[in-house]
Amino acid sequence: MEPVHWFVLFLALHLHRSGCSLPFHGSIVPFPSCAPFATCNRIFLSVPPWFGDHVHLLPCTPIHALPRAAAVGAVGGGFGDAHRGVCLLVCACVCWGGFGFHTYGLHQEGVVCPHNSSPPYEPGWDRDPLVLWLCCGCVVVVSMVAMRTLEEEMRFIERVDSTRFRVNVGFVPNMRVPGTFYANASLEKLLFDELRAYSERGTHGGGFLPAVKQLANVAALPGVVRESVALPDVHSGYGFAIGNVAAFDASDPQSVVSPGGVGFDINCGVRLLRTNLHLKDLEPVQEQLAQSLFDHIPVGVGSQGIIPTSAANLESALEMGMDWSLREGYSWAEDKEHCEEYGRMLNADPTKVSARAKKRGLPQMGTLGAGNHYAEIQAVEEIFDTHAARKMGIEREGQICVMIHSGSRGLGHQVATDALTSMERAMARDNILTNDRQLACARIQSQEGKDYLDAMACAANYAWVNRSSMTFLCRQAFAKMFNSTPDDLDMHVVYDVSHNIAKFEEHMVDGKLKTLLVHRKGSTRAFPPHHPLIPVDYQFTGQPVLIGGTMGTCSYVLTGTEKGMEQTFGSTCHGAGRSCSRHSSRNKLDFQEVLDRLKTKGISIRVASPKLVMEEAPESYKDVSAVVDTCHEAGISKKAVKLRPVAVIKG
């Protein structure tokens, strides 16, 4: 650490010793048998953000509780028994030295414990800040130095087959089940390079733990079953990695729901429309159609929709989902038949959505947003499964389709933010421990858990209404351009899938059928043929799975398989997955060069913010074909159709 970091740490602890509140929100360590804490069995420790999530132990803990805290698991990023023993030894040496901690400002659910709580040892820290400083430095330095090397980390990872790796229990503390991730040769290199950088530096450039660490930390959550799964497009995210799937036993009272396992953009998803147009019909008006689509669909950060929505209508939309769109005339009756959950989660309760979330969502109905969201006009490039493609209404190469990728906008983000705040309090009350502070969670059956699931369902319904509204606007743009009607252009929904959601589903676990709360973050449901929850049109092919590419690269339509149901809780990838941060992309890529490359490929582009061109350039992402090929080879989904972009609309 830099000297300034040591200084701020010393200052923070000195303030803490004086009973002052700190600006740092830290990790949680249990003290179930410490007499002075009969009414305060959990402490929120003050951990500066420079240390990362692997430092969970600081001497604002009473000295007699330090060994217990170390034994429980001082390092969330992965800590071997030998390293834990070193930390324990430091704590014991401090204890044997006759020093005692006088702990100030212990918080539990907003209650401050008395400053005169007497530990069993004579307090001395408040009389000698220098001793506090020195011993604090010892514990922190040992924690930082004791991280495992890449070679030591790799002892916990084994190859199962050509596309699958297992992360064994012990990779991080408290793992209840193993982890599994899918990758081919090129994709595995990205994951292991990320882990190597973390092992060498003790930090992760993107601000999150490496994806493999996050995968394992999810495997330590209460109630998790079978294994924590990462798909080939996995990359670091908030709490859960993006591309992570985990299921929790709904019958287990200890099982949890975590907003980090859904993401902030609740029900971010993809919708595919087909048309009866061919590429040759589009070429004369390609630029005009791209501009028309850009004019019809509001895009960009803070964009406001043109779909008239009152507060009462918003309440109805949150509860009814696509049934509201159908009632208001923005959707066709058959659209909802080709939508995951038929476009409506029935447990939605608008009273569980905060006023702030509703305020953010009210003006954004029917808007694309920014980031990686897009509307693309695409042409069929290759058909792998003729039978499945025909069932989807895709019959020839060159056929024009439209793909829409968006979510629940500001409303979903606020729902997640609100839930994280309430769940932090629930964790303290219910004694829930996690390896990563970003894995805030609550018992599924707790009030906080139920409230989040009901509010999340509202945000999911909002996202389906949002994509339905943009479908309406897209149909209008095509109809005006070709002087026809959407129905005559055969602009039907092929399917609409979500890749940020948690839902109760039935799966086989250890030979028994169980109801599980399946978290899919950056992963797509991929149910097999004959599953009762997929439309009758796709009963013999399996559920269509829409895999969006990056700006300028191809997209895919896959179908679900039985093997995927057995291995990944009926899930597969959702896209390419980032290979570098947005900041790095802006620094390395040139706006005009990216645009010129798209033009040479014959792709029309309309973008509201030039910086997004660099952030969403193909170089910022993994190879989507490598991701899809890995899923296909692993058998967890099957390739059906490949699409290439003709025109791209972004925020």
Side-chain angles (χ1 to χ4, degrees):
M1 292 191 301
E2 298 295 330
V4 66
H5 296 165
W6 285 110
F7 172 76
V8 175
L9 170 65
F10 174 70
L11 178 62
L13 289 173
H14 184 72
L15 290 172
H16 188 58
R17 181 182 61 82
S18 305
C20 299
S21 60
L22 296 175
F24 308 123
H25 181 69
S27 307
I28 302 172
V29 177
F31 305 103
S33 64
C34 300
F37 307 117
T39 60
C40 262
N41 63 350
R42 298 169 69 80
I43 295 178
F44 287 84
L45 301 182
S46 302
V47 182
W50 311 293
F51 294 154
D53 289 317
H54 59 278
V55 180
H56 280 204
L57 182 61
L58 285 175
C60 51
T61 306
I63 192 65
H64 60 285
L66 276 172
R68 177 179 294 275
V72 168
V75 179
F79 212 63
D81 290 337
H83 297 144
R84 191 179 293 111
V86 172
C87 195
L88 180 60
L89 179 62
V90 171
C91 299
C93 288
V94 174
C95 184
W96 292 336
F99 300 115
F101 282 91
H102 192 60
T103 309
Y104 291 92
L106 303 179
H107 299 275
Q108 181 180 18
E109 299 199 58
V111 178
V112 180
C113 295
H115 285 190
N116 60 1
S117 301
S118 300
Y121 303 98
E122 183 67 24
W125 295 99
D126 52 331
R127 299 192 184 97
D128 193 351
L130 180 60
V131 179
L132 171 62
W133 160 251
L134 291 175
C135 289
C136 173
C138 289
V139 175
V140 172
V141 168
V142 169
S143 297
M144 295 180 71
V145 171
M147 291 188 64
R148 289 195 297 245
T149 64
L150 178 64
E151 291 70 25
E152 290 172 325
E153 299 279 26
M154 292 300 292
R155 293 173 190 167
F156 292 90
I157 301 175
E158 61 176 307
R159 181 184 289 275
V160 178
D161 54 39
S162 61
T163 59
R164 188 161 48 129
F165 293 80
R166 178 175 290 111
V167 181
N168 290 313
V169 172
F171 185 63
V172 301
N174 310 317
M175 286 179 69
R176 302 164 190 265
V177 296
T180 294
F181 63 91
Y182 292 81
N184 64 8
S186 61
L187 298 174
E188 72 180 69
K189 183 179 184 301
L190 291 172
L191 291 174
F192 292 143
D193 284 349
E194 180 185 53
L195 187 59
R196 176 183 292 106
Y198 177 78
S199 298
E200 292 174 353
R201 297 195 302 267
T203 60
H204 180 54
F208 302 119
L209 290 169
V212 180
K213 287 288 185 184
Q214 292 188 316
L215 169 73
N217 282 337
V218 170
L221 290 175
V224 66
V225 299
R226 207 160 75 190
E227 57 189 355
S228 174
V229 180
L231 286 314
D233 51 342
V234 67
H235 56 286
S236 296
Y238 185 91
F240 281 57
I242 299 169
N244 197 175
V245 181
F248 299 81
D249 188 350
S251 64
D252 183 350
Q254 301 300 310
S255 291
V256 297
V257 56
S258 175
V262 173
F264 285 92
D265 192 3
I266 296 169
N267 192 7
C268 181
V270 181
R271 173 174 293 203
L272 184 68
L273 310 176
R274 68 173 188 246
T275 74
N276 56 17
L277 297 169
H278 190 270
L279 187 57
K280 65 178 184 296
D281 301 317
L282 194 71
E283 287 172 347
V285 294
Q286 179 176 322
E287 287 294 333
Q288 297 96 306
L289 184 58
Q291 185 62 46
S292 178
L293 206 57
F294 186 71
D295 293 339
H296 274 74
I297 300 177
V299 301
V301 177
S303 55
Q304 297 192 1
I306 60 174
I307 302 294
T309 310
S310 64
N313 278 335
L314 178 63
E315 292 279 335
S316 297
L318 295 180
E319 181 179 357
M320 299 172 62
M322 282 185 64
D323 286 334
W324 180 86
S325 299
L326 183 60
R327 186 189 76 182
E328 298 297 318
Y330 298 120
S331 181
W332 296 353
E334 54 267 38
D335 287 352
K336 67 190 298 287
E337 298 298 320
H338 286 180
C339 184
E340 188 173 332
E341 296 295 312
Y342 299 100
R344 178 180 184 179
M345 294 190 75
L346 298 176
N347 62 305
D349 182 355
T351 65
K352 305 301 182 183
V353 179
S354 69
R356 177 167 175 77
K358 292 173 182 176
K359 182 179 179 180
R360 293 180 66 179
L362 184 62
Q364 294 183 333
M365 187 80 75
T367 63
L368 191 65
N372 62 349
H373 294 167
Y374 60 79
E376 278 190 4
I377 302 172
Q378 302 174 335
V380 175
E381 185 169 88
E382 188 173 358
I383 297 176
F384 304 102
D385 187 334
T386 304
H387 175 64
R390 283 179 178 170
K391 285 292 184 181
M392 301 173 197
I394 298 174
E395 299 181 344
R396 54 180 177 162
E397 293 182 1
Q399 185 173 341
I400 296 299
C401 299
V402 180
M403 184 174 282
I404 300 171
H405 176 206
S406 189
S408 51
R409 306 289 279 112
L411 182 140
H413 193 285
Q414 191 62 47
V415 166
T417 302
D418 294 339
L420 287 170
T421 302
S422 67
M423 287 186 181
E424 286 179 353
R425 295 191 294 267
M427 289 176 69
R429 182 195 65 214
D430 296 338
N431 298 320
I432 301 173
L433 294 178
T434 64
N435 286 345
D436 185 348
R437 57 189 289 189
Q438 294 180 356
L439 291 173
C441 56
R443 308 282 186 214
I444 294 174
Q445 297 305 323
S446 70
Q447 191 59 53
E448 292 82 2
K450 292 176 180 177
D451 287 351
Y452 170 68
L453 289 171
D454 291 348
M456 184 210 69
C458 289
N461 288 346
Y462 180 95
W464 280 313
V465 170
N466 192 35
R467 290 196 288 274
S468 294
S469 300
M470 285 184 283
T471 298
F472 171 81
L473 297 172
C474 177
R475 285 167 172 161
Q476 295 300 308
F478 269 73
K480 290 177 182 177
M481 182 59 60
F482 292 98
N483 194 28
S484 184
T485 66
D487 191 47
D488 287 341
L489 294 173
D490 193 34
M491 297 190 72
H492 288 271
V493 173
V494 173
Y495 206 62
D496 182 302
V497 294
S498 168
H499 49 235
N500 274 1
I501 205 162
K503 294 187 296 183
F504 290 102
E505 299 172 358
E506 290 187 335
H507 293 270
M508 297 298 294
V509 179
D510 299 328
K512 297 179 181 178
L513 187 65
K514 289 192 173 186
T515 300
L516 308 177
L517 180 60
V518 182
H519 293 60
R520 293 188 180 94
K521 180 180 181 180
S523 56
T524 312
R525 193 187 77 174
F527 281 174
H530 311 300
H531 195 284
L533 293 182
I534 61 176
V536 63
D537 293 350
Y538 304 130
Q539 280 292 309
F540 294 104
T541 63
Q543 176 206 309
V545 181
L546 310 177
I547 309 300
T550 59
M551 186 176 61
T553 65
C554 56
S555 299
Y556 288 86
V557 183
L558 314 180
T559 53
T561 65
E562 284 290 350
K563 192 172 182 180
M565 201 69 179
E566 296 167 2
Q567 292 187 357
T568 64
F569 302 103
S571 310
T572 192
C573 62
H574 83 301
R578 295 197 73 90
S579 61
C580 64
S581 69
R582 298 181 188 277
H583 177 75
S584 176
S585 298
R586 289 196 299 270
N587 288 341
K588 293 179 180 179
L589 301 176
D590 179 73
F591 163 72
Q592 194 58 48
E593 287 182 5
V594 175
L595 285 182
D596 291 342
R597 282 199 297 271
L598 292 174
K599 289 180 180 178
T600 59
K601 294 180 179 179
I603 300 172
S604 303
I605 181 167
R606 298 293 186 277
V607 59
S609 174
K611 73 175 184 179
L612 283 177
V613 174
M614 291 93 78
E615 290 180 3
E616 300 302 319
E619 294 88 343
S620 303
Y621 286 83
K622 300 176 183 179
D623 180 359
V624 67
S625 294
V627 169
V628 168
D629 288 343
T630 302
C631 292
H632 183 82
E633 183 181 346
I636 59 175
S637 54
K638 181 182 177 183
K639 291 194 292 186
V641 179
K642 180 179 181 181
L643 305 142
R644 69 173 180 86
V646 176
V648 181
I649 311 301
K650 293 190 71 69

